């Protein structure tokens, strides 16, 4: 499956040019933002870990093995990319135990930068945001057009699509989810089940968002919408008054789209009709998500980009720095700027 099938149209027009992302791990840096004051004592050891070329689950396995602990004793807030330089928190449950020797976990791919005790484990989703530093190399773009686009997305945000990595190589996770849905069965393996269910929900959300982008309503509240604040999981119905809320204009309040589960989307009027129409195109996936006992949730349609800055270390390199809410994808920000080229295909001439 290609990008257009898995995501949807751009909101701000065609790409301004082309570039390479992730030529090296340092070109894609992520720092987890965790606003939790640590107590310095307790039965949980928290680790601030830098890793490159490792995904979060690989790092957790290394740490568990070095500590002599079962994998379930190692917790983390969120999953981070393998092809990146990332820094994130892990916690180890050590009731009545001293800090373990973790030297065996460290290597050029993994460094433990900080250790501190706390009285609670690190919960999934506990981080509030992620900070990114991205380097777009082999850049082929009109700088004036690119600067205008950067200002535009800083002011208006971008569609909050789930990125391609959610769906696996060539959409493999989604294709496997469809096969399970057609057989009306759930994978026995917990991690596989979670990954496939997540891919199915993400795809359906992207389909709704694609319709809203095409209609020009992805960043506007409509009567019948369910609205949510950037960092809140709760939502409320939009009537005429709510559609005029000034917090919509400052990118603090947003329309939401469905993360399907049991029951029908709780939206109303034309918004509900659109969501049900999208869902009706994938009845097997909807039934499968309901069978899995997934609760209906919401996700904001618009992604605000905080603290966006940029500069050019070299004429053909654009470096971006910004902060995104947890659960969102930096690649969908880049997608509104440029098309990405595979590494090694940077010398092809390009017209804009």
């Amino acid at each position: 499956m290609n990008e257009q099938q898995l995501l949807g149209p751009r909101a701000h027009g065609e790409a301004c040019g082309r570039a390479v992302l992730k030529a090296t791990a340092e070109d894609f840096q992520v720092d987890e933002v965790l606003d939790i004051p640590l107590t310095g004592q307790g039965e949980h050891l928290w680790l601030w870990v830098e890793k490159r070329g490792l995904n979060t689950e690989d790092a957790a396995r290394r740490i568990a093995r070095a500590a002599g602990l079962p994998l379930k004793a190692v917790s983390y807030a969120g999953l981070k990319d393998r092809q990146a330089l990332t820094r994130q928190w892990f916690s180890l449950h050590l009731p009545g135990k001293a800090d373990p020797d973790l030297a065996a976990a460290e290597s050029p791919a993994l460094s433990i930068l900080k250790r501190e005790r706390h009285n609670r484990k690190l919960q999934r989703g506990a981080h509030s945001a992620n900070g990114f530093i991205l380097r777009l190399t082999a850049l082929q773009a009109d700088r004036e057009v690119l600067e205008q686009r950067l200002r535009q997305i800083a002011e208006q945000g971008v569609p909050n699509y789930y990125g391609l990595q959610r769906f696996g190589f060539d959409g493999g996770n989604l294709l496997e989810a469809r096969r399970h849905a057609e057989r009306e069965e759930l994978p026995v393996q917990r991690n596989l089940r979670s990954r496939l269910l997540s891919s199915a929900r993400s795809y359906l959300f992207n389909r709704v968002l694609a319709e809203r982008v095409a209609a020009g309503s992805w960043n506007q509240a409509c009567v019948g919408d369910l609205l949510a604040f950037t960092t809140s999981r709760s939502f409320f119905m939009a009537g005429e008054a709510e559609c005029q809320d000034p917090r919509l204009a400052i990118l603090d309040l947003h329309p939401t789209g469905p993360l399907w589960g049991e029951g029908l989307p709780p939206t109303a009027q034309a918004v509900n009709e659109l969501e049900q129409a999208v869902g009706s195109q994938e009845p097997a996936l909807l039934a499968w998500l309901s069978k899995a006992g997934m609760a209906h949730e919401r996700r904001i349609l618009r992604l605000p980009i905080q603290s966006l800055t940029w500069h050019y270390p070299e004429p053909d390199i654009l470096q971006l720095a910004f902060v995104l809410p947890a659960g969102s994808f930096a690649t969908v920000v880049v997608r509104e700027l440029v098309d990405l080229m595979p590494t090694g295909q940077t010398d092809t001439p390009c017209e804009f």
Side-chain angles (χ1 to χ4, degrees):
M1 302 184 72
N2 61 35
E3 178 182 293
Q4 196 68 18
Q5 291 172 305
L6 292 170
L7 277 70
R10 293 179 171 94
H12 299 296
E14 293 301 314
C16 302
R18 305 199 302 173
V20 171
L21 179 62
K22 298 186 181 181
T24 68
E26 284 72 17
D27 290 341
F28 196 101
Q29 299 187 38
V30 189
D31 281 81
E32 199 168 67
V33 179
L34 194 68
D35 300 322
I36 298 176
L38 302 182
T39 61
Q41 58 187 3
E43 61 184 35
H44 300 273
L45 176 64
W46 286 44
L47 308 173
W48 179 238
V49 173
E50 179 180 271
K51 59 184 185 61
R52 53 167 57 80
L54 288 176
N55 66 29
T56 300
E57 293 169 337
D58 290 337
R61 279 189 285 270
R62 285 194 180 198
I63 292 167
R65 188 163 52 246
L69 295 172
L71 184 57
K72 65 181 181 181
V74 180
S75 303
Y76 45 85
L79 299 173
K80 301 292 184 287
D81 292 69
R82 179 191 300 274
Q83 295 179 326
L85 174 62
T86 68
R87 287 166 286 270
Q88 69 176 117
W89 286 99
F90 292 80
S91 74
L92 308 181
H93 190 204
L94 299 167
K97 298 179 181 178
D99 291 1
D101 181 358
L102 297 173
E106 297 197 77
S107 72
L110 188 152
S111 300
I112 298 172
L113 305 179
K114 188 187 304 183
R115 311 170 191 225
E116 191 162 355
R117 286 276 182 162
H118 191 51
N119 55 2
R120 294 185 179 182
K121 69 178 284 188
L122 177 57
Q123 301 286 344
R124 291 297 292 269
H127 59 309
S128 60
N130 290 298
F132 294 89
I133 298 176
L134 307 185
R135 285 164 56 94
L136 296 170
T137 59
L139 178 67
Q140 302 172 22
D142 182 298
R143 187 175 293 193
E144 184 176 341
V145 173
L146 192 57
E147 295 273 337
Q148 183 179 356
R149 179 66 57 82
L150 284 162
R151 290 190 292 270
Q152 190 176 18
I153 67 172
E155 294 171 1
Q156 300 177 21
V158 301
N160 193 21
Y161 289 118
Y162 283 98
L164 290 177
Q165 53 267 57
R166 175 56 60 95
F167 306 106
F169 180 72
D170 282 345
N173 289 342
L174 177 61
L175 297 175
E176 191 171 353
R178 280 188 168 141
R179 287 193 290 269
H180 279 82
E182 289 165 1
R183 295 195 297 263
E184 299 182 356
E185 64 181 26
L186 291 166
V188 175
Q189 186 181 351
R190 181 179 176 183
N191 285 347
L192 177 61
R193 181 170 66 249
S194 176
R195 185 169 76 247
L196 298 188
L197 289 169
S198 178
S199 293
R201 293 178 103 192
S202 301
Y203 173 71
L204 292 167
F205 173 88
N206 278 5
R207 297 276 53 76
V208 170
L209 178 51
E211 293 290 333
R212 296 282 295 254
V213 171
S217 64
W218 65 279
N219 57 356
Q220 302 171 11
C222 304
V223 174
D225 256 324
L226 294 171
L227 306 180
F229 293 100
T230 302
T231 58
S232 174
R233 294 187 179 181
S234 61
F235 48 83
F236 57 92
M237 181 69 70
E240 294 287 352
E242 288 77 11
C243 290
Q244 305 305 316
D245 193 312
R247 291 171 293 188
L248 288 161
I250 61 172
L251 278 64
D252 189 28
L253 184 64
H254 316 273
T256 65
L259 296 177
W260 257 278
E262 295 181 295
L264 297 174
T267 45
Q269 298 190 31
V271 176
N272 185 266
E273 292 174 7
L274 183 151
E275 292 182 0
Q276 292 208 47
V278 170
S280 69
Q281 298 170 22
E282 297 283 352
L285 285 182
L286 291 192
W288 189 60
L289 291 168
S290 181
K291 178 182 178 181
M294 305 290 285
H296 187 95
E297 299 176 286
R298 306 294 295 184
R299 174 182 170 90
I300 58 175
L301 296 177
R302 177 175 59 180
L303 178 57
I305 305 166
Q306 301 172 14
S307 307
L308 175 62
T309 61
W310 62 88
H311 71 282
Y312 301 88
E314 302 288 344
D316 64 344
I317 297 176
L318 170 63
Q319 181 163 310
L320 306 170
F322 52 88
V323 178
L324 298 180
S328 50
F329 290 76
T331 49
V332 304
V333 178
V334 174
R335 184 172 182 260
E336 291 288 334
L337 297 172
V338 295
D339 287 324
L340 293 180
M341 297 182 288
T343 305
Q345 296 186 14
T346 61
D347 55 353
T348 304
C350 184
E351 297 180 1
F352 307 109

